[in-house]
Amino acid sequence: MSPDPAHAQEGARRLSPARVLAVDPLLDDPETRIVVCCGSGGVGKTTTAAALGLRAAERGRKVVVLTIDPARRLAQSMGIDSLDNTPRRVKGIDDAAGGELHAMMLDMKRTFDEIVEAHADRERAAAILGNPFYQSLSAGFAGTQEYMAMEKLGQLRARDEWDLIVVDTPPSRSALDFLDAPKRLGSFLDGKLIRVLLAPAKVGGRAGMKFLNVGMSMMTGVLGKVLGGQFLKDVQTFVAAMDSMFGGFRTRADATYKLLQAPGTAFLVVAAPERDALREAAYFVERLAAEDMPLAGLVLNRVHGSGADHLSAERALAAAENLEEPGIVDQDDGKAGLRNSPDTYGSSGTPDDPGPVGRPHGPEGAEETSANTSEDAPADPDRSADRLAASLLRLHADRMHLLSREQRTRDRFTARHPEVAVTEVAALPGDVHDLAGLRDIGDRLATVRPELPDPAE
C-alpha cells in the first residue's frame, strides 16, 4: 500500500521534515543490517518489530525477526504454531519482490547450551551442562537473558544469511539491560569470588586443595551459612569447567557491542503518547547517545486521532448542554408559554375548557392526566435525537481532551529532543493477530500521517 499523498502533505505541514522518520528508506537501504526496537514494556515493541520485518521482506529483503517476548504473540500473528531458537520461515507473505521473512524466539537456556557445546570438548561440555549451578545460571540468572540475546544476535550476524535482522529487545524494568549485560558478565567473570574459586583449579593437585582450604575458609564461614557448602562446591566445579570459555564470552560480548555501534545498525525507540512511556523514551535516547549507538528515531505508537478535530472540546460541550437543557434550543415562544403556565395543568385546551367528560378537575385530575401522558404518549423523537446528539458531543469532547493531553506529552519530548525523527501510528480498536494486521501497522509506520492535531491550525 503506497502512502496517501494527502496524508503525506498533511504530515509535512504538521511535522517539520527534520523530525519525520522515513521508515521505508531505512528498511530499503542495503547498508542497514540490524534494526533494534527498544522501549519500556507494553508499548508495542514486538508488534512494531514484526511489522517492520514483514514490510522489509515484502519490499525484497531477506529478513529474520528475533523476539524475546514470552507471550508468543509474534508466532500467532505470523501464522506459526510456535517459535524456538531456530529461525522459521513465515508463509503467506507477498514475495513478488524476492524477499523472505523468518522469525524466531530466543530460548535463553538453549542458547547457553549451544555456546557450551560449541566451545568445549564433549566431556567438559557434559560436565558443565550437568552442573547444578550452571543449570540455575542458564535458566534464570539475573542478566542471562539479556546476554543471551546479545549472543544470538552475534550468531545471526556472523552467519551472514540474512539481509536484515530485526531485534525485539527483552522486556525489563531497566531501560537498556541488554546493553549492560556484557559489562555485567565481564564484572562477574573478573570478580574476586570467581578468581578465588578458579585459583584451586589452576594450581591443581594437593597444592590446589590446600589453597582451596585456605582461600575458601573465609567464604565458607559467611557464604556457607547462607548458601550451603554444596552450593559453593557446585560453583567451584562450574568455574573450573568454564575456565577456558570465559575469555570467549568476553570477546564475543565485546564484538557484539561494537556491532551495535556500527553504521549498519539502527535503533528505534518505541513509546506510547503517555507521560511515563515518553519519559522512558527520553532516557533511552540519552542513553543511546551516551553509548554511541545509532538512533534512527522514535515510533510513537497507539496515538489517538479524530476526523472532526476542528470541533473543539469546549464547543462540543456547549452544544451538548444546549441540547440537554429544555427551553434553550429552538423553542417556540407560544408553546413554551403554554407549557410553563400553571393554568394549563390538567388540560390541553384553554383555561375555561372543562376538559374531557368524566375527568375531574383540580390537583387529582392533574396528577391523573400527567400519569396518563407519561405512560400512554409516545416518546418525543426530537428529544431522543437531542439526547443522542448530546451524548455523542460529550464523547467527542472526551476524545479531544485525550488528543490535547497526548499532544502536550509529545511536544514536551520533541522540545527536549528536537533532533529525534518521529513517526506516529494510530491506536487500533483491537490486537494485531495476523499478517494482514502486521501489514496494516507497517503501512502506518511508513506513511507520514500524524494522528495528533497541530494546535496552531
Side-chain angles (χ1 to χ4, degrees), residues 119-202:
H119 296 88
D121 57 55
R122 182 176 301 179
E123 182 178 350
R124 179 169 292 190
I128 295 171
L129 297 177
N131 183 273
F133 178 73
Y134 168 79
Q135 293 173 359
S136 299
L137 177 71
S138 60
F141 194 76
T144 304
Q145 184 184 51
E146 289 79 10
Y147 176 79
M148 290 306 146
M150 299 278 283
E151 275 278 355
K152 183 56 66 175
L153 174 59
Q155 292 175 10
L156 292 173
R157 185 66 183 87
R159 289 165 62 177
D160 203 26
E161 184 176 348
W162 291 276
D163 300 333
L164 178 66
I165 303 169
V166 181
V167 182
D168 168 33
T169 56
S172 59
R173 293 182 62 186
S174 181
L176 293 175
D177 276 351
F178 73 102
L179 291 180
D180 295 326
K183 294 179 181 178
R184 286 202 306 271
L185 181 70
S187 299
F188 171 71
L189 298 179
D190 292 331
K192 293 181 179 179
L193 173 62
I194 293 297
R195 289 202 301 270
V196 171
L197 293 173
L198 189 58
K202 289 186 174 180

Side-chain angles (χ1 to χ4, degrees), residues 110 315 428:
R110 184 58 202 152
R315 289 176 57 198
L428 299 180

